[in-house]
Amino acid sequence: MSNDILLSICVPTYNGAERIQHCIDRLLDSRKSRNDVEIVISNNCSTDGTDLILEKYKNSKRLKINSNKFNLGFIGNIAVIIDQLSNGKYTWIIGDDDLVDIDAIDIICSTILYTNTDYISVKHRLLSLEQAKHFKKNKKKDEGYCQGNYFSVLDINASAGNILGTFMSSQIFRTDVVRKFNKTLLGPNDWASFVTTFPNSYMMTMCFYNSDKCISINAPLITALLHSKSWDDKLFVVATKILPEYYDYCLGLGASKIDLYNNNYLIAKGAFCHYLKELKRGGIKKK
């Protein structure tokens, strides 16, 4: 880990040709001329021409590109990023379909420098690519932060797209802490449990659930692009089984129901809505 790198922003990608360039260009614009921030792209053997897009950036001194020799799967690519590629004191892993705000990196680095934090939770907004291109941030919005324990910070930023910190790009963490985590415990990304469905969030929970040095940034700093995803057909089981199990697991770790109040509400609401949708669709037979 390099002593002069404060923040490593890392993007795991697989077949992200349609979106990766927008993500990288926004990162480069936000990084500006900072020498304490690095950008890392880890290409997991894409087959759709992603490598040709990344080739355009190969001579850029402002980012580095890693190409895995074999497809390591999502968890394997994340492990490589944390254990081998990140040189920063802190690591921020974002999706190849997410766009950071122009001032996001400066705000995050300032927060890190002026606080003794283990973990930062970042809010996000959902927009289409066209909406994101024309989006203008309201500068009057509060860009301060709230500090507390891990679960209370998750609850501040709880939303339908980020229940229990399951939106990967919402998490910034101390690299050395997560590097020590035994990632073989995560298993395959098979959607069978909360551990294998949301391995990144589970890893954050296990690393920081005892920490009271966690921070929530008050204003959204990243845009998640709206589009259909390959796992959309799994939303019913996630809403009705995976997330409720994850909530109970967090309570078992010592989280209070007060700290997870918003998350609990969103889980109950989501499960009920998805149950009604499945019932209407005929996926559930009335008894």
Side-chain angles (χ1 to χ4, degrees):
M1 195 181 302
S2 177
N3 292 329
D4 60 346
I5 299 296
L6 179 66
L7 177 65
S8 293
I9 307 174
C10 305
V11 184
T13 186
Y14 172 71
N15 287 352
E18 293 184 2
R19 50 194 180 268
I20 189 70
Q21 185 166 338
H22 300 292
C23 175
I24 293 175
D25 289 345
R26 186 65 69 86
L27 282 172
L28 292 174
D29 288 344
S30 182
R31 180 182 181 269
K32 301 168 187 174
S33 59
R34 297 192 69 110
N35 294 319
D36 58 351
V37 174
E38 69 172 358
I39 300 170
V40 180
I41 314 297
S42 186
N43 183 15
N44 205 14
C45 295
S46 297
T47 59
D48 67 340
T50 296
D51 54 333
L52 298 178
I53 294 174
L54 296 180
E55 183 76 10
K56 302 175 184 178
Y57 300 93
K58 69 176 183 178
N59 295 321
S60 174
K61 296 179 180 179
R62 304 174 67 191
L63 83 162
K64 61 182 181 182
I65 299 169
N66 169 68
S67 296
N68 295 326
K69 293 182 180 179
F70 306 97
N71 189 313
L72 305 175
F74 172 71
I75 295 172
N77 203 14
I78 293 297
V80 165
I81 283 173
I82 297 170
D83 295 344
Q84 300 177 31
L85 301 179
S86 174
N87 292 303
K89 183 178 180 181
Y90 291 81
T91 299
W92 185 13
I93 301 177
I94 71 170
D96 59 11
D97 54 350
D98 298 325
L99 306 177
V100 302
D101 289 2
I102 296 300
D103 56 354
I105 294 176
D106 282 341
I107 291 172
I108 289 168
C109 287
S110 294
T111 303
I112 291 172
L113 287 170
Y114 290 103
T115 62
N116 181 26
T117 185
D118 291 329
Y119 173 92
I120 299 175
S121 177
V122 177
K123 291 182 179 179
H124 72 286
R125 67 185 72 83
L126 290 169
L127 297 174
S128 68
L129 179 57
E130 282 305 308
Q131 288 173 324
K133 288 178 180 178
H134 299 95
F135 175 78
K136 292 185 179 180
K137 191 171 183 177
N138 183 357
K139 292 294 183 179
K140 294 181 179 180
K141 295 191 82 171
D142 182 11
E143 291 172 347
Y145 62 87
C146 298
Q147 189 161 357
N149 65 57
Y150 174 76
F151 293 113
S152 66
V153 162
L154 287 188
D155 216 46
I156 292 171
N157 285 351
S159 66
N162 188 27
I163 295 174
L164 296 175
T166 50
F167 176 52
M168 180 182 70
S169 306
S170 70
Q171 303 166 326
I172 299 163
F173 53 88
R174 290 185 68 97
T175 310
D176 58 348
V177 175
V178 182
R179 188 164 285 171
K180 295 174 185 176
F181 180 80
N182 181 5
K183 298 167 188 65
T184 61
L185 298 175
L186 299 174
N189 190 206
D190 60 7
W191 303 82
S193 70
F194 58 85
V195 177
T196 57
T197 302
F198 300 112
N200 192 69
S201 184
Y202 172 73
M203 184 164 53
M204 295 301 108
T205 299
M206 295 309 297
C207 288
F208 300 111
Y209 74 89
N210 274 327
S211 175
D212 60 359
K213 296 187 293 184
C214 300
I215 283 173
S216 167
I217 304 287
N218 291 338
L221 294 180
I222 190 167
T223 296
L225 296 180
L226 287 167
H227 59 88
S228 59
K229 298 178 176 63
S230 59
W231 40 265
D232 282 350
D233 62 335
K234 299 180 176 70
L235 291 178
F236 175 75
V237 69
V238 169
T240 59
K241 177 179 182 292
I242 302 297
L243 288 174
E245 289 180 355
Y246 199 178
Y247 174 78
D248 288 340
Y249 181 77
C250 291
L251 293 181
L253 291 175
S256 73
K257 291 186 177 181
I258 294 175
D259 281 341
L260 292 179
Y261 177 83
N262 292 323
N263 279 290
N264 184 35
Y265 169 76
L266 289 168
I267 289 171
K269 180 181 178 181
F272 181 68
C273 290
H274 277 87
Y275 184 86
L276 289 181
K277 288 180 182 177
E278 194 72 2
L279 189 64
K280 184 177 181 180
R281 191 178 69 86
I284 299 175
K285 294 182 179 179
K286 295 182 181 179
K287 291 185 179 180

